[in-house]
Amino acid sequence: MHTKRQIQELLDSVGVRPNKRFGQHFLIDLNLMRLLVNSANINDNDIVLEVGCGTGSLTGELVEKAGFVIAVELDRTLAGLAKGSLANADNIEFINADVLKNKNTLSPTVISALESAREKYNGRVLLVANLPYNVASPTMLNLITGPVAADAMYVTVQKEVADRMTAVPGSGDYGTLSIFLSVAGDVKTIRVLRPTVFWPQPKVDSAMIGFVRKEEKYRRIEDMELFRETVNLFMGHRRKTLTACGRLARGRLAKINNWSEIFERGGIVPTSRPEQLSGEDYIAIANLCCSGLA
Ligand code: SAH
């Protein structure tokens, strides 16, 4: 783990300062870093993905505990520093790239690194990271829908994003992210983090979040892509009625011509609003669409 001073010295040694554009806010409260690592309960068969490894502060803890670590860092200078400080570790692969190919896809390099690690290690796939805030939601969504799914995620994110992740139907924070996390597993806020635990300090509060995938929940979704399309169709118009949303369907869902029957069979009131529906309701609608299209 690197103290604030060590991080500053490392950056000075290569003549750079924290880059705001890359969301560089290093976690300098080492007790909280320990809390993050301990919450993940990592064992020596687990594969850990760290997104935004910075100088390698958290990474050093991860290589001690995990079977294998995949550390992704966009900033070439920081990636170099992290590599230097972990030169002795032999269970790590560094990827100097953007973790995302685009909003809906993880970098193919990251996916293939995860896939080949899975051939060697039969533990869990974990995301443990002090995430760069601008890619937090898409990274987590992609690790829910696959192609490689994480068994658990322990991360720090902006408090506002954490609130959306844990929001319940009908609340203002409720959205696509809340739905996906709730149908895929259990999510909880471990700790709210003040700006002072980072250097440089962000303008907003953050939170440490734990997510554990529950296969028995997730398995009920018959067609993941159709589930995703269903949630996007309705939540794209969260204040319209369900009936009105049905008329706006595109793609495969445009072929559905019996929305009222689907709502009825799903036990869902057609005049309700998308933001009032639970993850369970969306599973019901998507599965009924799936059998309707079969
Ligand atoms: N984990 C480190 C640094 C966290 S700051 C620590 O706590 O000390 C977030 C890190 O994510 C920065 O190093 C930043 O350069 C990196 N980053 C930002 N956007 C990224 C992206 N799209 N893909 C991978 N890394 C990214």
Side-chain angles (χ1 to χ4, degrees), residues 13-282:
S13 73
V14 288
V16 298
R17 319 195 106 258
N19 184 333
K20 278 211 182 108
R21 201 160 50 88
F22 287 165
Q24 290 172 358
H25 298 284
F26 304 91
L27 183 61
I28 52 165
D29 183 321
L30 303 184
N31 286 324
L32 287 172
M33 196 169 273
R34 264 179 224 113
L35 175 64
L36 184 68
V37 174
N38 291 339
S39 305
N41 216 351
I42 304 167
N43 76 53
D44 61 9
N45 240 330
D46 290 336
I47 300 158
V48 178
L49 172 67
E50 186 193 4
V51 173
C53 67
T55 57
S57 175
L58 169 62
T59 329
E61 299 301 294
L62 301 176
V63 292
E64 295 281 311
K65 303 218 146 102
F68 195 70
V69 175
I70 297 163
V72 187
E73 174 55 56
L74 176 57
D75 184 318
R76 192 203 296 217
T77 309
L78 289 187
L81 288 176
K83 241 185 199 169
S85 58
L86 288 154
N88 293 328
D90 58 2
N91 59 337
I92 182 162
E93 175 175 349
F94 286 100
I95 299 176
N96 177 204
D98 191 329
V99 66
L100 296 174
K101 181 176 166 208
N102 57 50
K103 200 162 184 275
N104 297 316
T105 335
L106 288 182
S107 142
T109 318
V110 173
I111 292 174
S112 59
L114 284 166
E115 280 169 345
S116 39
R118 265 210 308 212
E119 285 167 16
K120 283 208 215 127
Y121 299 88
N122 58 11
R124 299 169 299 164
V125 173
L126 304 172
L127 173 70
V128 183
N130 167 24
L131 285 175
Y133 290 161
N134 53 343
V135 301
S137 312
T139 300
M140 291 180 74
L141 275 175
N142 278 297
L143 287 169
I144 286 175
T145 55
V148 178
D151 296 289
M153 311 194 224
Y154 296 90
V155 296
T156 59
V157 295
Q158 266 179 299
K159 168 84 168 36
E160 181 216 313
V161 176
D163 289 344
R164 285 198 273 126
M165 289 177 177
T166 55
V168 295
S171 67
D173 289 328
Y174 190 62
T176 313
L177 197 56
S178 344
I179 295 171
F180 275 98
L181 288 168
S182 79
V183 299
D186 295 335
V187 60
K188 65 166 195 270
T189 299
I190 298 169
R191 194 69 75 81
V192 174
L193 311 176
R194 300 294 168 216
T196 48
V197 306
F198 298 97
W199 177 78
Q201 293 184 22
K203 292 207 171 67
V204 294
D205 280 347
S206 304
M208 195 183 288
I209 286 280
F211 166 83
V212 179
R213 186 180 179 88
K214 290 273 144 68
E215 206 52 41
E216 67 275 16
K217 275 189 173 182
Y218 194 74
R219 253 202 316 258
R220 288 171 313 161
I221 301 174
E222 281 164 29
D223 178 332
M224 188 61 219
E225 196 40 48
L226 199 64
F227 177 78
R228 205 207 287 241
E229 285 172 32
T230 306
V231 173
N232 288 339
L233 164 65
F234 290 96
M235 290 303 285
H237 313 277
R238 52 191 291 152
R239 296 205 168 75
K240 287 193 164 58
T241 64
L242 299 182
T243 307
C245 292
R247 286 190 211 109
L248 301 169
R250 298 265 176 283
R252 281 198 287 167
L253 291 174
K255 298 199 188 83
I256 302 284
N257 52 18
N258 60 336
W259 284 110
S260 53
E261 188 192 325
I262 286 177
F263 298 140
E264 195 183 321
R265 287 177 58 195
I268 296 153
V269 183
T271 51
S272 50
R273 315 281 159 172
E275 61 187 9
Q276 297 167 314
L277 265 51
S278 66
E280 298 295 306
D281 293 332
Y282 282 111

